[in-house]
Amino acid sequence: MGSANSTLQDSAPVSFSQDLVDTLADNAASPSPSPARQNSIDAHIRARIQAELQHLRAEEQTVRDQIQAALEKENLDRERAMSGDPDSVKTSPALLADLEEVRAKVDRFHARRDLSEYPGLRENSDALVACYKNNPATPLDCSQQVDNFKASVAEIEKEHVKSLQ
């Protein structure tokens, strides 16, 4: 069936142009991929590096959280051991409530420091600050303002002591 047509014939040797041979030799000698293929490979490698980096960061955060929890527990245990009374150690919410109470006390203290009741003190304080600002290189020029301020403070202190008696 077709075997008659497929006989081997002696044919002339195949020859290739020197340019083709050189190109094939160059491609065989340098197995680097084409620029498009190289860009694709680079993008794939970058994506894998980013994924691994995110994975490592997540693991690092998990380890940090575990360390933080262990340190908090260790500190709490140490405080309980030092106090002798396990119920005397405060928890974070209790400490936050205490902190808010202290902040409220500080705010009340600052409110009491309102100098509107003492206009002389306010004037002397403002004059002293202005003198220091006007004479940054020679603060000794403000000695009169300092003396006036000190006198105002001394007078207010005397009034306060009298009010306590």
Side-chain angles (χ1 to χ4, degrees):
M1 271 199 174
S3 62
N5 289 340
S6 59
T7 61
L8 293 175
Q9 298 178 354
D10 288 332
S11 59
V14 177
S15 63
F16 298 102
S17 71
Q18 190 60 36
D19 290 337
L20 179 60
V21 171
D22 290 342
T23 302
L24 291 174
D26 288 345
N27 285 344
S30 64
S32 63
S34 67
R37 174 82 174 127
Q38 186 63 42
N39 288 341
S40 173
I41 291 171
D42 290 347
H44 179 71
I45 290 172
R46 279 192 294 274
R48 288 186 64 186
I49 289 172
Q50 284 298 98
E52 185 63 22
L53 186 60
Q54 288 175 349
H55 174 71
L56 290 174
R57 283 184 179 151
E59 281 184 3
E60 179 186 18
Q61 187 60 42
T62 301
V63 169
R64 284 180 189 225
D65 292 344
Q66 290 172 347
I67 290 171
Q68 182 69 26
L71 287 174
E72 286 177 2
K73 183 183 181 307
E74 182 180 325
N75 287 339
L76 189 61
D77 291 344
R78 185 180 309 130
E79 287 179 19
R80 284 184 179 146
M82 289 172 55
S83 71
D85 181 15
D87 295 330
S88 70
V89 178
K90 295 185 177 184
T91 61
S92 292
L95 290 174
L96 287 175
D98 288 348
L99 181 62
E100 287 303 317
E101 183 181 332
V102 169
R103 282 186 183 149
K105 287 179 181 178
V106 168
D107 290 342
R108 284 194 307 266
F109 172 76
H110 285 296
R112 280 190 288 167
R113 287 183 45 197
D114 183 24
L115 301 177
S116 62
E117 299 173 23
Y118 309 104
L121 180 65
R122 172 59 78 185
E123 291 171 9
N124 289 331
S125 173
D126 292 343
L128 180 61
V129 169
C131 184
Y132 279 144
K133 285 182 180 180
N134 292 334
N135 301 303
T138 57
L140 292 178
D141 291 346
C142 300
S143 62
Q144 181 61 41
Q145 287 82 0
V146 169
D147 291 339
N148 293 342
F149 179 74
K150 284 182 180 181
S152 297
V153 170
E155 191 164 320
I156 292 172
E157 285 176 344
K158 285 179 188 176
E159 289 177 19
H160 182 69
V161 170
K162 284 182 185 178
S163 71
L164 294 176
Q165 294 175 348

